Amino acid sequence: MPAGALPLRHPPSCWPNCWGSLLGLHPSFDRQQRLWERGMMRFVGRRQSSGLDFRDLRCPFGTYALDVEFASLEERGRQEEDMLGIEGATTVDVGANLGFRSIYLAARMQRSVLAIEANPLIYRLLLWNIRANNVTDRVWPINAALSGDGSGRCDPSSGLLVDCVTLRVDVDIAKSHRSGFAGGSCGKGVACFRVPAWSLGNLLEALGIQEVDHLKLNCEGCEYHVLSDPAVQHMTSSGRLRISGEIHHPDRFPGISSEMATATMDVMCKVLLKLESAYFEEAEKWDALLEIYISTLNRALAEGDVTQNHFADGWPLRQGAAHALALRALGRREAAPGRPLDIIVCYCSERLSWLRAFHKLPWRDENRSAAIRELVTLRIYHKCGGYGTGVREAESERLRTEWGPYFREVDVRYVDDVLRADDDSAYLAFIIDWYEDLPEYTVFLHADAPEHIPSLELLTDSVYAAIRGFLPSGIGFVHFAHNYVLLDWGCDQRKDCEGRQLEPEFSTLWKRVFGASVAPSLAAGHVNAYCCVQFMVHRSRIRLRPKSFYEHGLAYFGTTAESYHRLFPVGRVVRKADVFGRTPGQLAMYIWHAMFGEALKLPRRQQAERVEISGVQVGELCSLSFRGLVVLHVELLTITKQQR
């Protein structure tokens, strides 16, 4: 953890119109910053969405900001686009946190952003995120607090403390708000930093920034100093400045817009999201989160921060709490007959050490070993185990010995392909082997699954929720992979787009696998899906099709070379490039969800089809939070401007 604020760095004279990434000039390229990042790798979680890439600290409840901010990242971005209307101007982001708004505005709206963050630890993560998203030419970070009249005169090493302020930061960020700020004295879980204080007007003058047309506020109480600053009042009175964000002490601002005085309700909704995301956990963790929510709500009611008007205005606290409790009640259902869950791994010679994550993740407290050993079967479908009975028996015994202590049962089965079929023949072979005795849920994975899944927590939490009976029956198929492929990308402008290039081979594969006379068009956007094929399926979805369908599929991909022959217009040609690139398997990535009854145009997880639980319309959600839980999210909990 950094000892204090990082020195103020002035942007180069060309900013915000510099060309390139400012390599060597931007604070995010500092050598000490890079060394700090290297040392923090094991403590940091990562989340990617819509082309943006963010990092945050891990903690017992997941990551403390990624989960709540990603829920409304795009929606808030659209609101700001509607409000600002133009690209290329300058935003001052007061309370930049991890850089969600700053980076979004820079990357999507080409705006220049001065990102001010007081917490030295969060500031380090802000630097990391700015560089990771390649917006160093547009976002300039400042590690400082804002006050009424400060000029940044703070250097504890030399005894200069005129404009120093002390920040108290909760070391256990999971129990504090997103800023990490805490009360009380230093020590006993509270770290203290001395940070330079500036008035916003003095800071802008020192940095040579003259034109600002947007001020975003969310600084845990410094809003009064900022809005009272003569420079801000001058910009506001001239009509040049637009203001957005949150006001944490609205009583200090007579006449302030009610849309900005929503911090308490915003926090309450985010606590509900956290409560909902852990609905399937053990009682100890669930009860602790529920206690946090109840005590926070009671305190807000007692202090008048939450009133009946908030409920009348549409804030969904009652609905959200009722829904979280309804989700929790799912675990009281009678267990389904048969095995709860099988994990199918398409294997060659990869390291499988990541399988231990189903028992315990290093950065989390939960130990799920007992439940996994009792309820989860591991089936390894081996694709390249050598020849000869002796070699295969020895390899099978090695795998059973290594992984037997971790699972209810470990089974090793060899699948021999005429030509390379990888996951296609492995997955189909399992379905054929166990069609009459399928588990309630089957998880299909590659042996290098962590390379395809954004966070192992998405996978491990989903499995844990499934075996404990906490998944609603409406969830039949869930994709775990992170790369959502838009096959029609650019096809409206280019004749050589990927969808159009793949169309002939994909059309043939579709017709052969499904026995159809027509096929959907990739170039027209009829089919979209995730790459690569890591997913969970309920047995009812597998049995939508007869066993003969899967037997036909295995013959097409694995026990004959037909899938390769059909890639060539005539004859029975097999090209070496297709075998090395396993072309049929690459094309088949986009049909698995259709096999199991999903829409051809598979929606992104956060936009998946809605199911109804206890009369409440909810959306199937796998990636709202960074932890990527397969949970149900009340539509009303999406905090939007219209709801406010």
Side-chain angles (χ1 to χ4, degrees):
M1 184 173 287
L6 276 69
L8 177 69
R9 276 202 190 180
H10 290 65
S13 58
C14 61
W15 194 86
N17 300 308
C18 301
W19 181 86
S21 64
L22 300 180
L23 181 64
L25 298 176
H26 196 275
S28 64
F29 292 105
D30 183 81
R31 182 174 180 273
Q32 292 300 319
Q33 168 69 17
R34 302 299 291 269
L35 290 174
W36 181 86
E37 292 171 8
R38 189 178 304 172
M40 291 293 291
M41 288 294 292
R42 61 177 296 193
F43 304 108
V44 169
R46 183 181 180 187
R47 174 76 180 272
Q48 295 174 298
S49 179
S50 303
L52 300 179
D53 183 0
F54 291 96
R55 287 152 181 81
D56 186 17
L57 292 178
R58 298 183 188 275
C59 62
F61 294 156
T63 50
Y64 81 98
L66 291 178
D67 51 356
V68 295
E69 288 293 345
F70 263 76
S72 55
L73 183 64
E74 292 284 351
E75 178 62 31
R76 292 189 181 185
R78 285 191 291 270
Q79 292 174 16
E80 285 168 341
E81 289 174 13
D82 292 340
M83 179 184 72
L84 300 175
I86 59 172
E87 297 182 350
T90 301
T91 291
V92 174
D93 185 354
V94 181
N97 204 267
L98 300 177
F100 295 105
R101 306 276 19 106
S102 297
I103 292 169
Y104 184 95
L105 291 170
R108 297 297 177 81
M109 298 185 64
Q110 308 304 307
R111 296 182 68 85
S112 301
V113 183
L114 184 69
I116 304 171
E117 172 55 45
N119 186 330
L121 174 59
I122 303 303
Y123 177 78
R124 289 283 197 186
L125 293 165
L126 169 64
L127 294 181
W128 199 345
N129 289 331
I130 291 171
R131 193 182 68 254
N133 286 279
N134 197 30
V135 289
T136 54
D137 59 332
R138 294 192 174 277
V139 181
W140 193 267
I142 300 293
N143 187 196
L146 293 187
S147 65
D149 57 359
S151 298
R153 294 166 294 178
C154 177
D155 184 4
S157 62
S158 64
L160 180 60
L161 305 176
V162 176
D163 291 321
C164 286
V165 296
T166 300
L167 297 185
R168 295 171 175 83
V169 178
D170 196 331
V171 175
D172 186 1
I173 299 177
K175 296 179 181 178
S176 63
H177 191 38
R178 289 172 296 164
S179 65
F181 295 150
S185 58
C186 302
K188 295 183 179 180
V190 176
C192 293
F193 305 104
R194 279 181 169 162
V195 178
W198 291 82
S199 71
L200 184 57
N202 288 342
L203 180 60
L204 294 177
E205 182 179 357
L207 297 175
I209 298 174
Q210 299 178 351
E211 293 295 328
V212 174
D213 75 328
H214 177 217
L215 176 63
K216 191 231 85 177
L217 288 172
N218 187 3
C219 54
E220 312 302 318
C222 82
E223 297 91 352
Y224 178 80
H225 295 301
V226 174
L227 295 179
S228 301
D229 190 295
V232 174
Q233 292 184 350
H234 174 70
M235 287 186 285
T236 303
S237 63
S238 66
R240 302 196 312 268
L241 186 67
R242 295 173 175 85
I243 302 175
S244 64
E246 296 179 359
I247 299 296
H248 290 78
H249 299 289
D251 55 298
R252 301 176 69 180
F253 300 89
I256 196 71
S257 167
S258 61
E259 287 187 4
M260 296 182 66
T262 58
T264 299
M265 298 300 290
D266 197 5
V267 171
M268 291 301 303
C269 282
K270 288 167 183 175
V271 173
L272 270 179
L273 286 175
K274 184 68 72 175
L275 183 67
E276 185 187 41
S277 72
Y279 80 95
F280 58 86
E281 295 287 2
E282 297 288 351
E284 181 181 2
K285 182 171 181 177
W286 162 265
D287 292 345
L289 283 169
L290 184 60
E291 183 179 350
I292 291 173
Y293 174 75
I294 293 173
S295 61
T296 304
L297 178 60
N298 288 340
R299 184 169 60 252
L301 289 169
E303 295 176 357
D305 292 331
V306 174
T307 67
Q308 187 60 38
N309 288 336
H310 288 107
F311 296 103
D313 289 342
W315 284 95
L317 297 188
R318 291 194 183 101
Q319 299 95 320
H323 179 61
L325 293 171
L327 287 173
R328 183 66 179 174
L330 290 173
R332 304 190 187 102
R333 296 177 304 164
E334 184 177 349
R339 303 186 309 281
L341 187 141
D342 285 4
I343 295 174
I344 313 307
V345 177
C346 174
Y347 176 76
C348 181
S349 59
E350 300 87 347
R351 293 183 61 187
L352 296 176
S353 56
W354 56 270
L355 287 171
R356 296 186 179 92
F358 287 107
H359 282 232
K360 188 179 188 309
L361 289 163
W363 54 85
R364 286 174 59 176
D365 294 335
E366 302 95 338
N367 190 322
R368 298 165 174 173
S369 300
I372 298 299
R373 289 193 188 102
E374 179 186 358
L375 300 171
V376 178
T377 297
L378 173 65
R379 302 192 187 278
I380 298 174
Y381 276 68
H382 211 308
K383 303 305 299 288
C384 42
Y387 297 97
T389 303
V391 173
R392 293 191 170 192
E393 287 181 353
E395 172 72 352
S396 298
E397 183 60 27
R398 179 187 70 80
L399 290 168
R400 283 192 293 266
T401 300
E402 182 176 3
W403 296 108
Y406 289 86
F407 296 93
R408 170 182 177 175
E409 177 187 350
V410 176
D411 179 42
V412 181
R413 198 269 215 202
Y414 283 84
V415 180
D416 295 315
D417 303 326
V418 171
L419 289 173
R420 184 178 178 185
D422 289 16
D423 49 65
D424 298 313
S425 57
Y427 294 0
L428 290 167
F430 164 79
I431 294 174
I432 295 167
D433 291 345
W434 296 93
Y435 188 84
E436 290 81 12
D437 187 25
L438 289 167
E440 183 177 13
Y441 288 98
T442 303
V443 175
F444 294 92
L445 300 171
H446 292 178
D448 60 349
E451 295 185 16
H452 305 284
I453 299 174
S455 167
L456 278 178
E457 291 157 304
L458 167 60
L459 173 61
T460 59
D461 285 346
S462 300
V463 167
Y464 191 60
I467 63 176
R468 284 168 51 78
F470 277 97
L471 291 188
S473 57
I475 294 182
F477 178 91
V478 175
H479 220 306
F480 293 130
H482 66 79
N483 185 16
Y484 187 75
V485 181
L486 297 171
L487 293 163
D488 59 332
W489 183 265
C491 289
D492 57 339
Q493 299 174 350
R494 303 195 330 266
K495 293 183 179 180
D496 62 342
C497 67
E498 183 177 11
R500 195 163 280 119
Q501 291 182 40
L502 297 176
E503 195 105 280
E505 292 88 353
F506 178 81
S507 177
T508 299
L509 181 141
W510 180 279
K511 293 174 183 178
R512 291 290 171 176
V513 171
F514 290 101
S517 58
V518 295
S521 169
L522 299 182
H526 295 162
V527 179
N528 281 330
Y530 283 90
C531 165
C532 299
V533 283
Q534 330 278 323
F535 50 79
M536 179 169 67
V537 190
H538 192 270
R539 62 182 162 214
S540 62
R541 291 294 192 90
I542 296 176
R543 288 176 177 160
L544 288 175
R545 301 184 185 276
K547 185 177 181 180
S548 58
F549 171 84
Y550 301 106
E551 291 171 336
H552 167 73
L554 182 59
Y556 183 77
F557 287 107
T559 58
T560 72
E562 185 180 359
S563 62
Y564 284 90
H565 293 158
R566 294 293 175 181
L567 296 174
F568 207 70
V570 295
R572 301 177 67 80
V573 176
V574 176
R575 294 176 291 189
K576 183 181 294 186
D578 287 330
V579 178
F580 280 114
R582 66 179 202 94
T583 303
Q586 294 291 333
L587 294 170
M589 285 193 300
Y590 309 118
I591 70 172
W592 282 98
H593 64 287
M595 287 187 191
F596 301 125
E598 291 292 297
L600 299 186
K601 197 176 180 69
L602 188 70
R604 296 179 187 272
R605 282 186 289 263
Q606 64 267 32
Q607 300 167 346
E609 66 181 53
R610 289 170 172 79
V611 295
E612 186 169 314
I613 301 295
S614 303
V616 180
Q617 288 294 324
V618 296
E620 184 174 316
L621 185 74
C622 305
S623 62
L624 171 67
S625 68
F626 171 78
R627 297 172 56 220
L629 310 175
V630 181
V631 299
L632 299 181
H633 172 55
V634 183
E635 283 186 273
L636 292 172
L637 282 178
T638 303
I639 302 166
T640 65
K641 183 177 180 181
Q642 288 74 23
Q643 288 170 313
R644 294 179 182 179

